[in-house]
């Protein structure tokens, strides 16, 4: 499963043809306040989007049974064990998550990935014990939109980035993407200089069409651009606009399934009597799941079990430190029945 995810990102960001257009990034512009984007698309049970319009009247929209669907860009993870998961409510400025290797985790990496090139460029040794590497970094504006996203691709010495742009109606309209080949601390002066010097490998455009008589839904067509042509990714996708994550969470609490496009799967969320997330199950036979979620008396998460869908690899999380907002900032991760920790996740969270 992990290799499939890695190969997906590797293909998306590396095989894209590099064009001659600069990304036109102004580090001063990146921190300007922009409107909050609250777009949540919708897809049916088979992940096949469809919209039927009555031929006699364009104002009549007939829609099938839809799941709630997260956007592909500009969102945070709903899994509490993911490095970019954040509590709903606070205004975030930035998030930087790093993985710090323990000896058991490095030994596992050495055992599973040989040094003959199968690990695609990054070779781990016992010298890496105690070292930290980037997992993910996100920069937000004051209304919660993700402006910049930087993510490490495991086993490869590259760092894919996205820069998102929004219109005055809070809708995402463009995502530029490329890669960095150097490990620079995110959101520093040197980081912005490196970003400005990079060429965009391509970008994704979002075009919207209003539906007569329907205020909260739009049709969205998505296009990918590289140096050669414009490719239609999806046409007339029905998107549903929410002003915040609150509405999504309320829908989840009454049992509506959530489709996560990056995972190509739909999930059900279960809450306890205090309305705290208790379990996430895939709405299929196998898939990502999160269970045994425990909290302390202040509703801070203490532990959870994460399953990629592979019964031979299950991660057990112990959340050891939290900040004043209740977000976890350190977690120790154990694999399967190991008594020794494999790695830790360290997070830096800034707030407005």
């Amino acid at each position: 499963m992990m290799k499939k995810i890695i190969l997906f990102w590797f293909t998306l960001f590396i095989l894209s043809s590099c064009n001659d257009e600069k990304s036109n990034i102004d580090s001063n512009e990146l921190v300007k306040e922009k409107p909050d984007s609250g777009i949540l698309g919708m897809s049916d049970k088979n992940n096949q989007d469809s919209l039927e319009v009555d031929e006699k009247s364009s104002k009549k929209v007939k829609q099938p049974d839809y799941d709630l669907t997260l956007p592909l860009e500009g969102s945070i993870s709903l899994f509490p064990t993911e490095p970019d998961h954040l509590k709903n409510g606070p205004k975030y400025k930035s998030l930087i998550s790093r993985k710090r290797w323990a000896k058991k985790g490095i030994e596992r990496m050495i055992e599973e990935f040989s040094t003959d090139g199968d690990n695609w460029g990054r070779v781990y040794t016992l010298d890496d014990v105690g070292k930290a590497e980037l997992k993910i970094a996100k920069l937000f504006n004051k209304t919660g939109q993700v402006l910049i996203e930087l993510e490490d691709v495991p086993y490869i010495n590259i760092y894919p980035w996205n820069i998102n742009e929004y219109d005055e109606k809070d809708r995402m309209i463009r995502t530029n993407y490329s890669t960095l080949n150097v490990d620079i601390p995110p959101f520093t002066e040197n980081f912005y200089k490196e970003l400005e010097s990079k060429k965009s490998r391509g970008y994704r455009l979002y075009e919207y069409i209003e539906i007569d008589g329907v205020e909260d839904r739009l049709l969205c067509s998505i296009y990918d651009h590289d140096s050669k042509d414009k490719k239609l990714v999806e046409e007339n996708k029905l998107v549903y606009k929410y002003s915040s994550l609150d509405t999504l969470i309320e829908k989840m609490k009454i049992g509506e399934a959530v489709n996560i496009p990056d995972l190509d799967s739909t999930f059900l969320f279960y809450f306890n009597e205090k309305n705290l997330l208790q379990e996430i199950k895939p709405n299929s036979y196998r898939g990502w799941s999160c269970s045994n979620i425990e909290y302390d008396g202040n509703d801070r998460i203490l532990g959870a079990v994460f399953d990629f869908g592979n019964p031979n690899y299950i991660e057990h999380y112990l959340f050891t430190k939290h900040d004043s907002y209740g977000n976890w900032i350190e977690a120790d991760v154990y694999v399967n029945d190991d008594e020794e920790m494999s790695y830790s996740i360290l997070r830096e969270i800034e707030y407005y």
Side-chain angles (χ1 to χ4, degrees):
M1 177 67 181
M2 288 296 289
K3 281 192 174 183
K4 289 182 179 179
I5 298 173
I6 295 161
L7 285 171
F8 168 79
W9 281 107
F10 185 76
T11 303
L12 178 61
F13 290 101
I14 298 304
L15 297 184
S16 301
S17 301
C18 182
N19 61 20
D20 295 328
E21 179 186 4
K22 291 280 187 176
S23 56
N24 296 322
I25 304 162
D26 184 341
S27 59
N28 294 323
E29 292 296 323
L30 291 175
V31 296
K32 287 184 178 179
E33 182 177 352
K34 298 183 180 182
D36 180 26
S37 171
I39 299 174
L40 291 171
M42 306 189 76
S43 109
D44 66 10
K45 303 293 183 183
N46 299 315
N47 298 327
Q48 297 293 323
D49 298 315
S50 62
L51 180 69
E52 296 179 15
V53 181
D54 191 324
E55 294 180 357
K56 297 181 180 179
S57 173
S58 62
K59 294 183 179 182
K60 296 182 179 180
V61 179
K62 180 182 178 182
Q63 81 179 53
D65 218 3
Y66 283 102
D67 295 326
L68 298 165
T69 301
L70 290 178
L72 287 173
E73 290 87 14
S75 61
I76 57 177
S77 177
L78 296 177
F79 282 78
T81 52
E82 286 291 277
D84 62 336
H85 177 271
L86 295 169
K87 296 185 68 174
N88 185 41
K91 293 185 176 181
Y92 299 100
K93 185 175 183 180
S94 65
L95 164 70
I96 301 174
S97 296
R98 294 183 174 90
K99 174 189 284 189
R100 184 174 63 194
W101 288 104
K103 183 178 179 181
K104 186 66 175 180
I106 289 295
E107 289 175 343
R108 185 183 300 274
M109 297 300 297
I110 294 173
E111 179 182 349
E112 293 182 358
F113 296 94
S114 63
T115 59
D116 60 2
D118 287 346
N119 51 359
W120 306 311
R122 187 179 301 176
V123 177
Y124 290 97
T125 70
L126 289 177
D127 292 336
D128 292 309
V129 174
K131 291 183 178 180
E133 62 186 31
L134 179 71
K135 287 283 291 180
I136 195 167
K138 293 187 176 185
L139 182 71
F140 304 87
N141 65 11
K142 289 184 178 180
T143 47
Q145 295 169 312
V146 178
L147 300 180
I148 304 178
E149 180 175 353
L150 183 72
E151 186 167 9
D152 175 41
V153 179
Y155 327 116
I156 311 173
N157 292 314
I158 60 168
Y159 303 89
W161 54 258
N162 288 346
I163 296 180
N164 302 317
E165 300 177 14
Y166 304 86
D167 66 10
E168 69 281 356
K169 294 183 178 181
D170 304 348
R171 303 177 301 196
M172 181 177 292
I173 56 175
R174 176 169 172 147
T175 297
N176 299 289
Y177 56 85
S178 189
T179 61
L180 294 179
N181 297 317
V182 290
D183 186 3
I184 299 177
F187 316 135
T188 60
E189 183 177 352
N190 288 336
F191 170 81
Y192 290 123
K193 287 181 179 178
E194 182 68 20
L195 212 59
E196 289 171 353
S197 69
K198 299 298 291 184
K199 294 179 179 180
S200 174
R201 292 185 180 274
Y203 56 93
R204 173 166 285 191
L205 290 181
Y206 303 82
E207 298 179 356
Y208 300 92
I209 300 176
E210 302 282 346
I211 305 174
D212 289 343
V214 180
E215 296 181 357
D216 57 356
R217 292 174 177 82
L218 299 166
L219 295 178
C220 177
S221 293
I222 305 172
Y223 300 88
D224 273 345
H225 286 248
D226 57 24
S227 60
K228 297 180 181 179
D229 55 19
K230 175 181 177 180
K231 178 184 177 182
L232 177 65
V233 177
E234 192 163 9
E235 186 174 16
N236 290 339
K237 176 183 178 67
L238 183 67
V239 296
Y240 190 64
K241 183 177 178 296
Y242 289 134
S243 59
S244 70
L245 192 60
D246 295 331
T247 305
L248 173 63
I249 293 176
E250 289 305 312
K251 296 287 187 180
M252 292 159 51
K253 287 180 179 179
I254 62 175
E256 292 198 31
V258 177
N259 182 278
I260 301 179
D262 284 348
L263 303 179
D264 193 27
S265 188
T266 300
F267 299 88
L268 294 171
F269 292 73
Y270 299 88
F271 297 81
N272 63 17
E273 64 279 357
K274 297 180 68 176
N275 281 327
L276 298 174
L277 181 64
Q278 199 71 60
E279 187 174 9
I280 305 174
K281 289 183 178 181
N283 201 19
S284 58
Y285 176 66
R286 296 296 299 176
W288 284 23
S289 65
C290 189
S291 60
N292 296 352
I293 304 175
E294 299 179 356
Y295 301 88
D296 66 9
N298 294 316
D299 298 341
R300 297 177 303 188
I301 190 168
L302 295 179
V305 177
F306 181 74
D307 183 353
F308 286 100
N310 177 4
N312 298 318
Y313 186 90
I314 297 175
E315 293 181 334
H316 301 258
Y317 283 73
L318 294 179
F319 301 97
T320 57
K321 288 186 180 181
H322 302 76
D323 64 15
S324 59
Y325 289 87
N327 279 302
W328 65 268
I329 55 176
E330 289 191 20
D332 295 337
V333 183
Y334 297 77
V335 177
N336 297 335
D337 296 324
D338 291 346
E339 295 184 358
E340 297 179 58
M341 179 180 65
S342 284
Y343 62 88
S344 297
I345 298 292
L346 313 175
R347 307 204 303 174
E348 302 171 22
I349 305 173
E350 283 192 271
Y351 299 83
Y352 282 107

